[in-house]
Amino acid sequence: STPPTALQKRLPPNPEETPPMKHDFGGYATAHDIVCTDGRTIRHSAFADQDGETVPLVFEHLRGIPENIIGYAVLEHRDKGVYAKAYLNETPTAKTCKELIRHGDIKRLSIFADKLIQAGLEVLGGKIREVSIVQHGANPGAYIDNLNFAHSDGTSTISAEEAISSRGTNIELEHVDKTAEVADDKTV
């Protein structure tokens, strides 16, 4: 067999050709039937047709900056919401994010979606374009709940600790809680 090209090395694994890799972490990218801070509610089957799809994993929705693409996420439609199994790449930003997640400094996930189908503030359909790790999410049910980081000695850390997250905007959905970014000038 011929060695893989540089592009093939960067693509997500083809399950028919590669033994399954363990994801680095998992969590709910968005949860169904919960009112988000922007007033929207993502309904149960809004993104069900994306079950099994792979989307970019991004730091804080800054997808226009290549260094902020930190890996990819495989989406799973579940009763509670859209679950993301996340695979980090080896870039410096991804390595930093891995430590932030492992340490518990970042616990939330979020989505960017477009092609939304809405009835008022209810999201009935659309296309998730990316999953982000974020500091502040709009959907209280979107969170990192499973860590599975490999150590340099070959052992793994598996943790089922809970975190929280999500994100939203006009006819696109970018679910970040903008209210969390407001600072108070008073010093206490």
Side-chain angles (χ1 to χ4, degrees), residues 13-49:
N14 179 341
E16 294 175 9
E17 298 174 4
T18 310
M21 264 181 6
K22 286 195 174 192
H23 56 284
D24 291 306
F25 67 90
Y28 283 92
T30 190
H32 302 137
D33 303 321
I34 295 175
V35 178
C36 300
T37 59
D38 64 359
R40 293 180 187 191
T41 302
I42 297 171
R43 291 300 177 199
H44 186 269
S45 296
F47 303 111
D49 61 334

Side-chain angles (χ1 to χ4, degrees), residues 140-153:
Y143 54 86
I144 296 170
D145 69 355
N146 182 291
L147 305 180
N148 186 30
F149 293 127
H151 300 288
S152 59
D153 65 2

